[in-house]
């Protein structure tokens, strides 16, 4: 991520609280990251794409663990920044995944994410006057997905949700609240099905 001293960084630093998404500095960073992501999506060689992704995301662990980590994403993949996504090793994300990483998104090792999964950290005021269309404030809430999870295709994970280790989320679910480790949840909103 490059920075520019000519632009005001205040809104970028406020992203975890409340900020304005149209701020020129934030837009500049998002545009720069979009160029890098386009190159990653266009890379046909799986090993090369994996290496690019490990530089684009934050990989947990030391340099040796980072090199050993396997990161497989079937393009197209979309996110806003990339550097707000923290991953463990051996991550698989299927085609069409969208991660709105205004706030941090942590994904544990050996997690599998199905096609067309949507992970959203941004939030907006509920009052339409305060929301004020494109010019209003936004905020974000971090999302945590544990190790050894399986997130079924078409799942939507909402801001502030923590999903424990070893969780299976049924396809098409909308996860609106925290999920305990080693459970299966499904539905809209996602509900407990069983422990595993």
């Amino acid at each position: 991520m490059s920075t520019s001293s000519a632009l005001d960084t205040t809104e970028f630093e406020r992203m975890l609280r409340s900020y304005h998404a149209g701020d020129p500095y934030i837009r500049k960073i998002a545009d720069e990251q979009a160029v890098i992501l386009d190159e990653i999506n266009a890379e046909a060689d799986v090993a090369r794409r994996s290496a690019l992704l490990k530089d684009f995301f934050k990989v947990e662990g030391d340099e040796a663990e980072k090199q050993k980590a396997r990161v497989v994403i079937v393009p197209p993949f979309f996110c806003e920044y990339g550097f707000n996504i923290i991953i463990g090793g051996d991550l698989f994300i299927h085609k069409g995944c969208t991660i709105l990483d205004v706030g941090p998104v942590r994904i544990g090792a050996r997690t599998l994410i199905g096609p067309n999964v949507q992970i959203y950290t941004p939030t907006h005021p509920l009052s339409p006057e305060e929301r004020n269309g494109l010019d209003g404030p936004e905020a974000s809430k971090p999302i945590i997905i544990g190790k050894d999870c399986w997130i079924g295709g078409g799942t939507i994970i909402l801001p502030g949700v923590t999903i424990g280790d070893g969780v299976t989320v049924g396809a098409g679910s909308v996860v609106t609240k925290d999920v305990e480790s080693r459970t299966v949840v499904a539905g809209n909103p996602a509900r407990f099905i069983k422990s595993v």
Side-chain angles (χ1 to χ4, degrees):
M1 178 188 79
S2 65
T3 59
S4 170
S5 59
L7 294 174
D8 182 0
T9 64
T10 304
E11 292 298 323
F12 182 76
E13 293 162 1
R14 294 175 62 200
M15 271 194 345
L16 290 178
R17 299 183 307 271
S18 177
Y19 69 100
H20 290 85
D23 175 77
Y25 183 72
I26 291 175
R27 295 294 2 120
K28 178 181 183 308
I29 291 172
D31 291 346
E32 290 171 353
Q33 294 302 98
V35 170
I36 296 168
L37 186 57
D38 285 346
E39 293 170 3
I40 292 170
N41 277 320
E43 178 57 61
D45 182 84
V46 174
R48 176 74 181 130
R49 189 180 327 124
S50 178
L52 292 170
L53 286 164
K54 287 191 281 187
D55 288 335
F56 189 64
F57 298 149
K58 288 182 183 171
V59 180
E60 292 182 321
D62 60 22
E63 192 58 34
E65 291 170 310
K66 179 179 176 180
Q67 293 306 316
K68 193 170 121 178
R70 295 179 296 168
V71 181
V72 178
I73 293 182
V74 180
F77 168 76
F78 177 80
C79 68
E80 291 191 281
Y81 300 101
F83 53 77
N84 278 338
I85 301 171
I86 305 104
I87 63 170
D90 297 347
L91 172 67
F92 177 83
I93 298 178
H94 213 301
K95 181 180 289 195
C97 180
T98 295
I99 301 178
L100 300 186
D101 60 322
V102 169
V105 174
R106 183 176 298 274
I107 304 172
R110 299 173 305 279
T111 286
L112 309 173
I113 297 179
N116 302 311
V117 168
Q118 301 165 63
I119 300 171
Y120 301 144
T121 65
T123 65
H124 301 271
L126 297 180
S127 159
E129 292 79 14
E130 187 181 356
R131 192 167 52 239
N132 193 22
L134 295 175
D135 297 321
E138 292 184 21
S140 69
K141 294 180 181 177
I143 291 174
I144 299 170
I145 300 171
K147 300 178 290 188
D148 302 303
C149 291
W150 176 17
I151 311 298
T155 292
I156 299 172
I157 301 173
L158 297 183
V161 166
T162 295
I163 295 174
D165 295 340
V167 167
T168 298
V169 179
S173 296
V174 179
V175 185
T176 62
K177 60 184 181 179
D178 293 354
V179 178
E180 288 186 30
S181 293
R182 300 192 65 93
T183 58
V184 177
V185 298
N188 180 5
R191 291 182 176 87
F192 174 83
I193 304 296
K194 63 180 178 179
S195 297
V196 292

